Amino acid sequence: MKELLEHLVSPETRKLRPYHVPPSDGLIKLDAMENPYTLPSELREEWQACLAAANVNRYPDPGARVLRQRIREVFDVPSRCEVILGNGSDELIQMLALLIGGPGRTFLAPSPSFSMYRMISLFTGTGFREVPLNPDFSLHPDSMLDGVREAQPACIFLAYPNNPTGNRFDEDLVLEIVRVAPGVVVLDEAYYSFSGRTFLDRVPDYPNLLVMRTLSKSGLAGLRLGMLMGHPDWVAEMDKIRLPYNINSLSQAGAAFCLDHYDVLEAQGMRIREDRGQILAELAALPGVTVYPSDANFILLRFVQGADTVFESLKQRGVLVKNLHQPGGMLENCLRITVGTPEENLALLDAVREILGVRAA
Ligand SMILES: *Cc1c(COP(=O)(O)O)cnc(C)c1O
């Protein structure tokens, strides 16, 4: 078997490990940037009725026209932009790799950033260039621009705000990168609901600028809906490699319904933003913890030492967060916590205080 695999599967893919999702049964789940709130029960019933009306004996609308129109309205997509949907934004990244990646091509992203940029590049045989961020996780202008000149990437990914660091990059530098890039630049605005800042209105000015969003972090992670906005000619090419029914009927109907009630999700996002401020202040008051500012629905923490132990102790106390610690790496002793409900945040704070031996104020 080993011989067969070595013969058939690329060395890059052989080296990869599948995307790991740890079990979370019975734990307070603050590891994956999900919205902790569900739809209010009246709306939930209406939503279920809407799903029940979907005729799943038929194939879905391949162009998801109703849903795409809703997206245009709700997110004020400029008229000179076209929208393409993916089964999560992960699928859109994969489509880009199929379209313009592959052997002889390179994609580029800052590091640390979203892990799927690297993973998808590697398993599609695309070269991947990482440009280290500054210690405060801002972009290093010279390293970035030199990296772009040297690697001549077909695609650059900039998560805005960045995951797992939570900060936004300098706007002028982002636009300079767009101007010098020989290929496309994807502004990945997965956390737009929590930052309120976007490059979408700049897309008509730059033919190589693409903006990507997702509904995952705003309350619909289970639906899997990502969207990419760009020049119509660009989107037309992407549409050729999109599998015809990539957005199933239930996702189309369910997401369109939620966009009709987007004010509800927006209010939840506002609540999360407010709670983020509070939890940030409380964590920052603890000794031995550095708290990084965040424009997203998560917060990056750095402990003086022993992040592995803190992570395990949190789990023992029923709280699951993301452990980013790698000895000697830029995220040494770092954990990432998602902002949850006030009760969940309190449980997290209590647990951290207990682990650090600090008494509540
Ligand atoms: C979570 C995340 C995504 C993935 O979104 P899906 O739509 O759930 O696939 C994309 N980009 C960044 C930066 C993320 O943090």
Side-chain angles (χ1 to χ4, degrees):
M1 190 58 179
K2 187 157 182 267
E3 228 169 82
L4 189 64
L5 293 178
E6 309 270 273
H7 179 58
L8 291 174
V9 182
S10 76
E12 290 77 15
T13 303
R14 289 279 288 154
K15 269 182 256 153
L16 288 175
R17 267 174 297 161
Y19 189 82
H20 175 64
V21 180
S24 57
D25 284 357
L27 298 174
I28 295 177
K29 196 170 183 314
L30 301 180
D31 67 330
M33 282 81 91
E34 291 143 332
N35 175 348
Y37 303 107
T38 56
L39 291 178
S41 56
E42 327 81 69
L43 263 190
R44 222 180 143 91
E45 276 169 34
E46 262 187 71
W47 185 67
Q48 279 159 351
C50 156
L51 295 180
N55 288 325
V56 292
N57 56 315
R58 302 290 179 196
Y59 280 108
D61 172 6
R65 282 162 303 175
V66 172
L67 176 55
R68 280 195 301 126
Q69 185 52 35
R70 252 342 155 273
I71 287 170
R72 297 199 78 99
E73 293 155 9
V74 171
F75 297 117
D76 280 326
V77 178
S79 56
R80 285 152 63 208
C81 283
E82 195 44 90
V83 180
I84 183 167
L85 304 181
N87 187 1
S89 35
D90 292 347
E91 193 192 33
L92 290 162
I93 302 171
Q94 182 181 279
M95 283 186 214
L96 279 164
L98 292 174
L99 186 66
I100 57 169
R105 293 286 175 89
T106 300
F107 284 1
L108 180 147
S111 170
S113 192
F114 185 46
S115 61
M116 292 310 288
Y117 305 147
R118 178 173 173 275
M119 247 184 108
I120 292 173
S121 299
L122 294 185
F123 72 59
T124 55
T126 312
F128 188 66
R129 170 78 164 242
E130 285 177 317
V131 178
L133 292 170
N134 286 319
D136 67 355
F137 302 124
S138 59
L139 287 174
H140 189 291
D142 294 338
S143 312
M144 220 30 218
L145 296 170
D146 288 349
V148 171
R149 266 181 226 112
E150 278 170 34
Q152 292 288 304
C155 181
I156 300 170
F157 292 101
L158 297 173
Y160 184 87
N162 190 34
N163 172 12
T165 59
N167 57 310
R168 278 185 293 109
F169 299 132
D170 181 80
E171 250 175 77
D172 292 329
L173 181 54
V174 168
L175 288 177
E176 191 176 346
I177 292 166
V178 173
R179 283 190 287 266
V180 304
V184 293
V185 179
V186 175
L187 262 290
D188 181 350
E189 299 180 353
Y191 300 96
Y192 167 71
S193 314
F194 313 101
S195 76
R197 303 293 287 269
T198 180
F199 280 84
L200 186 54
D201 50 345
R202 311 306 297 267
V203 172
D205 304 333
Y206 299 95
N208 65 333
L209 173 61
L210 303 171
V211 166
M212 192 163 70
R213 299 257 184 98
T214 174
L215 295 184
S216 295
K217 313 294 155 70
S218 338
L220 299 171
L223 273 191
R224 310 298 302 128
L225 193 79
M227 47 208 139
L228 184 134
M229 280 75 77
H231 191 286
D233 292 349
W234 179 260
V235 171
E237 294 301 315
M238 277 185 82
D239 211 34
K240 295 177 191 171
I241 53 138
R242 183 178 63 81
L243 296 177
Y245 305 113
N246 66 328
I247 312 298
N248 71 66
S249 313
L250 297 178
S251 289
Q252 289 190 30
F257 178 89
C258 290
L259 290 175
D260 282 341
H261 302 278
Y262 197 65
D263 53 321
V264 174
L265 297 185
E266 259 178 330
Q268 294 174 344
M270 284 310 294
R271 176 74 215 242
I272 293 167
R273 277 166 86 157
E274 282 167 30
D275 292 344
R276 172 185 73 199
Q278 194 177 347
I279 190 176
L280 228 143
E282 302 219 22
L283 287 166
L286 298 176
V289 190
T290 304
V291 181
Y292 292 91
S294 170
D295 269 314
N297 63 341
F298 60 85
I299 299 170
L300 184 72
L301 307 175
R302 195 192 297 271
F303 292 83
V304 172
Q305 56 180 17
D308 279 342
T309 314
V310 177
F311 171 78
E312 287 303 331
S313 309
L314 280 171
K315 207 154 80 178
Q316 274 159 23
R317 288 167 174 77
V319 183
L320 182 65
V321 301
K322 176 83 173 182
N323 186 2
L324 300 164
H325 171 67
Q326 266 177 352
M330 281 189 78
L331 297 173
E332 184 160 33
N333 284 312
C334 284
L335 301 181
R336 186 192 64 198
I337 58 153
T338 305
V339 180
T341 63
E343 299 73 39
E344 291 172 334
N345 301 337
L346 203 60
L348 170 91
L349 282 167
D350 282 346
V352 174
R353 287 195 186 107
E354 203 178 291
I355 292 161
L356 297 177
V358 184
R359 260 190 266 144

